[in-house]
Amino acid sequence: QGTRDHPPAYTALRDRLLAAVVTCFKRHGAAAIDTPVLELRETLMGKYGEEAKLIYELQDQGGELLALRYDLTVPFARYLAMNKITNMKRYHIAKVYRRDNPATTRGRYREFYQCDFDIAGQFDPMIPDAECLKIVHEILSDLQLGDFLIKVNDRRILNGIFAVCGIPESKFVTACCTVDKLDKVPWEEVRGEMVGEKGLSPEAADHIGEYVQLHGGLELIERLLQDPKLSQNKLAKEGLGDMKLLFEYLTLFGITGKISFDLSLARGLDYYTGVIFEAVLLQQENEHVEEPVSVGSVAGGGRYDGLVGMFDPKGRKVPCVGVSIGIERIFSILEQRMKASGEKVRTTETQVLVATPHKHLLAARLKLISELWGAGIKAEMLYKKDPKLLKQLQYCEDTGIPLAAIVGEQELTDGVVKLRDVATRVEVRM
């Protein structure tokens, strides 16, 4: 069914990852918000382009047409408009729903978590956009997932390319959705879809192909700014000017080594208006391969300056830029790695097991564990009157509890507790 149960090991791993992501978001001054899982159908429709067919539609008993949220961005824009908020830095971690063909081995589900960070407000160009890219870089570095690349483009540059290649404006969005497939299929297939399904001329498709297969850095931006056709297009010129400014800020952040200006990046959603970006993990097949191989997108986002205005009765716009971390795909990658290495995930944060070596000492255990809980220490005990000490210590080993606090008759007489390091078996009386 494209959903999954979350057993303790999975949930512990997820919580560890989410804690690292939240730490990063808070470090950048974001406040947490939450929006409902259910939205009016009309709120979501017309915002996602061809992906709208993946929205789960519902009808409640009052006759209203409802839908499950598809992402966290459109509900955020609706929230800003309803509450007349014009300035906000927020994060939101929650489940979203897509009526998709699941591919669970690749972390593609119908119900999954997204971790969003957004900056809303009227600011000087590219400063918030650069911070969003810095956040992606920080999170992927902190999680130590291996080598990664953040691809960056701008919808205005793409639309400028379509215009100079002779594509009518009415076909910009559909051409964008087709170009977006370039990370999954070769150019020949994308060209075939453009000509065969989208009705573009072979000449126009070939012309687009000359641009969308380019990638690089500042030198490519400079080259395109000198391009005789693109430099005459207002949209492309604006986009390239902002892209140059963005790279200047990313250079100051010291992260351009992981950033690629990639003209094939399109991101299929309708609401993007400017800079767009996507992070992919790279896999070196072997040391003789020069080009790393991509193993899938783990984050994406961009600028969506027109979305809030769609929900405002007076059409007031609030410029926004944001990023979403695909935490489910990261879970899948880490789970596979842990299975391969045989590493165990601790499913609890218990610090100490209260144990007794003799019979008739349940009262001593209950008294000690109550003291520990009262002092804010994470403690457990076995729910047996007279468990064998070996069984108690084995439970510590099985669950990864590092310490055992042992109270026997002699300890009670002396007013001490024997603290045992489960791994090293070293004991101290205290």
Side-chain angles (χ1 to χ4, degrees):
Q1 64 192 34
T3 55
R4 65 178 292 180
D5 296 313
H6 294 162
Y10 170 96
T11 308
L13 177 60
R14 184 196 68 203
D15 288 351
R16 205 168 79 196
L17 289 174
L18 291 179
V21 172
V22 169
T23 299
C24 179
F25 290 163
K26 287 181 174 177
R27 188 161 64 229
H28 286 262
I33 73 161
D34 198 0
T35 59
V37 170
L38 290 175
E39 293 281 352
L40 290 173
R41 179 184 176 276
E42 66 193 48
T43 298
L44 304 186
M45 288 303 172
K47 316 296 188 301
Y48 300 108
E50 292 182 4
E51 294 189 29
K53 61 181 182 289
L54 303 181
I55 293 172
Y56 270 109
E57 296 182 42
L58 308 166
Q59 190 167 352
D60 76 359
Q61 289 173 320
E64 281 183 308
L65 294 174
L66 304 175
L68 296 180
R69 64 183 171 208
Y70 180 87
D71 66 5
L72 303 177
T73 308
V74 170
F76 174 56
R78 191 257 316 142
Y79 169 84
L80 292 176
M82 276 181 70
N83 294 284
K84 297 182 172 57
I85 296 168
T86 57
N87 193 312
M88 188 178 203
K89 188 189 279 191
R90 71 98 199 214
Y91 74 89
H92 186 185
I93 295 175
K95 285 182 177 179
V96 298
Y97 301 86
R98 302 198 176 169
R99 200 174 62 189
D100 202 352
N101 289 324
T104 51
T105 53
R106 291 192 291 114
R108 193 179 182 98
Y109 297 96
R110 289 180 178 144
E111 174 189 82
F112 58 95
Y113 279 91
Q114 278 191 343
C115 306
D116 278 26
F117 173 95
D118 294 84
I119 301 171
Q122 189 74 53
F123 304 109
D124 286 343
M126 296 299 107
I127 301 174
D129 310 63
E131 185 172 358
C132 285
L133 288 163
K134 179 77 170 78
I135 282 169
V136 177
H137 188 279
E138 281 180 25
I139 288 171
L140 296 183
S141 300
D142 289 349
L143 295 179
Q144 298 179 337
L145 300 169
D147 202 11
F148 62 89
L149 183 69
I150 305 170
K151 300 176 183 178
V152 185
N153 198 6
D154 193 299
R155 271 291 178 81
R156 292 167 296 174
I157 298 172
L158 271 177
N159 288 344
I161 289 169
F162 297 148
V164 302
C165 292
I167 309 299
E169 198 172 328
S170 59
K171 292 192 175 178
F172 281 7
V173 172
T174 186
C176 218
C177 291
T178 308
V179 169
D180 194 44
K181 296 174 183 175
L182 262 178
D183 63 332
K184 302 177 188 74
V185 298
W187 166 247
E188 289 71 32
E189 281 187 44
V190 169
R191 182 189 181 279
E193 184 178 314
M194 280 182 168
V195 177
E197 293 177 33
K198 302 296 169 75
L200 304 186
S201 71
E203 297 77 28
D206 290 337
H207 202 173
I208 290 169
E210 290 169 17
Y211 286 108
V212 297
Q213 293 178 82
L214 298 172
H215 56 88
L218 258 176
E219 74 294 332
L220 176 59
I221 299 166
E222 297 283 10
R223 201 171 91 217
L224 291 173
L225 278 166
Q226 303 305 315
D227 183 288
K229 286 185 177 174
L230 275 187
S231 60
Q232 299 304 308
N233 181 276
K234 184 174 177 287
L235 273 180
K237 199 173 178 182
E238 275 178 20
L240 287 164
D242 277 351
M243 189 61 65
K244 185 180 177 183
L245 188 59
L246 178 67
F247 265 77
E248 287 173 15
Y249 296 152
L250 298 177
T251 303
L252 293 170
F253 282 150
I255 63 172
T256 47
K258 298 286 188 188
I259 309 280
S260 170
F261 173 41
D262 190 324
L263 277 92
S264 71
L265 179 65
R267 294 197 60 79
L269 301 178
D270 274 9
Y271 52 64
Y272 289 121
T273 57
V275 168
I276 46 177
F277 39 86
E278 193 167 275
V280 292
L281 297 185
L282 302 175
Q283 179 177 288
Q284 200 77 46
E285 288 294 293
N286 60 58
E287 56 197 33
H288 306 298
V289 178
E290 286 183 21
E291 283 283 315
V293 179
S294 164
V295 293
S297 166
V298 290
R303 179 158 285 282
Y304 51 101
D305 288 351
L307 192 55
V308 177
M310 295 172 84
F311 300 110
D312 190 287
K314 295 182 178 175
R316 284 172 293 216
K317 290 188 177 183
V318 178
C320 296
V321 62
V323 62
S324 182
I325 310 295
I327 210 80
E328 211 81 34
R329 194 161 289 181
I330 294 172
F331 291 163
S332 298
I333 291 161
L334 287 185
E335 274 187 312
Q336 286 162 14
R337 283 187 194 170
M338 293 184 105
K339 278 177 189 168
S341 68
E343 186 186 339
K344 273 188 175 179
V345 180
R346 276 201 67 189
T347 57
T348 73
E349 293 184 14
T350 305
Q351 295 165 285
V352 61
L353 182 86
V354 175
T356 43
H358 313 117
K359 289 185 175 182
H360 313 303
L361 289 173
L362 175 61
R365 274 191 291 149
L366 290 172
K367 191 176 173 211
L368 179 55
I369 200 167
S370 182
E371 276 189 60
L372 293 173
W373 287 336
I377 291 166
K378 297 162 187 167
E380 275 189 71
M381 58 176 258
L382 296 195
Y383 301 131
K384 279 193 126 185
K385 267 188 173 182
D386 301 313
K388 289 187 168 59
L389 182 61
L390 196 63
K391 239 185 182 160
Q392 295 169 86
L393 295 175
Q394 187 60 51
Y395 179 76
C396 289
E397 286 189 14
D398 292 345
T399 56
I401 298 172
L403 298 170
I406 302 167
V407 277
E409 287 164 358
Q410 189 60 52
E411 283 77 27
L412 286 172
T413 302
D414 297 345
V416 298
V417 174
K418 196 190 289 176
L419 199 61
R420 179 185 176 103
D421 184 310
V422 175
T424 64
R425 301 185 180 180
V426 171
E427 293 181 342
V428 290
R429 285 158 67 85
M430 53 203 303

